[in-house]
Amino acid sequence: MIKAVVFDFDGTILDTESCEYNVLQKIYKEHGAELPIEVWGECIGTHSTYFDAHEYLEEQIGKKLDRDTIKQQRLDIFQELIKDREALPGVMEYLEAAKQLGLKIGLASSSSYKWVSKHIKNLGIEHYFECIKTSDDVETVKPDPTLFLKAVECLGVKPEESIAFEDSVNGAKAAKRAGLHTVVIPNLVTQHLTFEEYDLKLESLAELELQEMINQFTKQ
C-alpha cells in the first residue's frame, strides 16, 4: 500500500538545472570555452562541491579568473532566468492529488534548506510538505540513500510504502537504494544520461495521473 510520496527538488519540482546550465554556457562562451552537457550532467543531484565549474573553465582557457566577479555574474543571470519559472508540468496536480488521497508528502534534496525553502515559498507550495530533508540533515547526499531514508522515517512510513520522484541518475540511485518505488522524469539536462536504477520513467508527471501510478505499483 502506498502511503507517501517524496519529491526531489531541483529539476523535479522546479527546472533550476536547465537554468543553471544555460547560465554557465553563457559565461563559458564569453571566455571562448564550452561546458559539455555530459560533464555537467554527471554532477546533477549530488553535492555542489562534486564539480567546480569555475575551476573547469580555468582549465579550458588556461588561465586564472576573478572568481568573485564570475560568481556574482552567475548569480545575477540565474536570478533573472528563474524569477518567472513555474513548477514543472504535473507537479501541482500531483501535490494536490496526493493531498486529496491522504498521502504524506515529503521532500528530499541534496541542496541546502535555505535554497529549497526559498524556492518552494516563491512557488507557493511549502504547505504541502510535511517533512523536508536537505543537505543540512545528512553527512552524505545523493547517491547515498540517507536523505530518502530520513524523509520516510520523518513521515512515519516504510520505504516500500513510498514513491520517490527524481530527475537525476544520482537521485534515482539514492531512492532505489533506500527501497522506495522510484519514478524518474529526466529534464533537458539529465535526459542525455543513462538511468539504470528506477521503476518507472516518464517525460513529465503530466503524462500519468497519480492514482494510476499508484495502481501500477500496488499490482507489482
Side-chain angles (χ1 to χ4, degrees), residues 14 19 26-27 29 35 37 57 64 91 100 103 114 118 121 131-132 138 140 158-159 166 174 182 190-191 201 214:
L14 185 65
C19 285
K26 178 178 175 62
I27 293 173
K29 286 179 180 179
L35 175 59
I37 197 165
L57 174 56
K64 295 292 184 180
V91 170
Q100 294 300 320
L103 302 179
K114 180 179 179 181
K118 176 180 72 174
K121 286 178 182 177
C131 178
I132 296 175
V138 295
T140 308
K158 298 176 182 178
E166 272 288 353
T182 303
T190 60
Q191 66 184 0
K201 189 175 184 179
I214 291 173

Side-chain angles (χ1 to χ4, degrees), residues 43-51 110-111 135 139 141-143 170:
C43 72
I44 299 298
T46 189
H47 204 283
S48 59
T49 58
Y50 179 86
F51 174 74
S110 291
S111 295
S135 60
E139 292 185 5
V141 295
K142 305 169 188 175
N170 288 313

Side-chain angles (χ1 to χ4, degrees), residues 54-109:
H54 299 150
E55 181 179 327
Y56 188 82
L57 174 56
E58 290 175 341
E59 290 174 355
Q60 298 306 300
I61 63 177
K63 65 178 181 180
K64 295 292 184 180
L65 297 169
D66 185 337
R67 293 198 177 194
D68 288 338
T69 298
I70 292 178
K71 184 177 180 180
Q72 188 60 52
Q73 181 187 14
R74 182 176 172 180
L75 179 61
D76 291 343
I77 300 172
F78 177 84
Q79 289 179 335
E80 183 64 27
L81 285 178
I82 202 71
K83 67 178 183 180
D84 296 322
R85 294 284 178 116
E86 298 180 350
L88 284 161
V91 170
M92 298 301 298
E93 289 80 2
Y94 263 55
L95 288 171
E96 190 57 33
K99 180 181 177 182
Q100 294 300 320
L101 290 168
L103 302 179
K104 294 181 177 295
I105 306 174
L107 190 153
S109 172

Side-chain angles (χ1 to χ4, degrees), residues 114-171:
K114 180 179 179 181
W115 172 266
V116 171
S117 61
K118 176 180 72 174
H119 287 296
I120 62 173
K121 286 178 182 177
N122 288 341
L123 291 170
I125 61 174
E126 71 275 13
H127 61 283
Y128 283 104
F129 300 100
E130 297 179 43
C131 178
I132 296 175
K133 294 297 179 181
T134 68
S135 60
D136 301 332
D137 300 300
V138 295
E139 292 185 5
T140 308
V141 295
K142 305 169 188 175
D144 186 280
T146 306
L147 271 168
F148 281 107
L149 291 172
K150 282 185 173 290
V152 294
E153 180 183 10
C154 175
L155 293 172
V157 298
K158 298 176 182 178
E160 62 268 24
E161 297 172 331
S162 310
I163 301 175
F165 302 112
E166 272 288 353
D167 72 297
S168 72
V169 172
N170 288 313

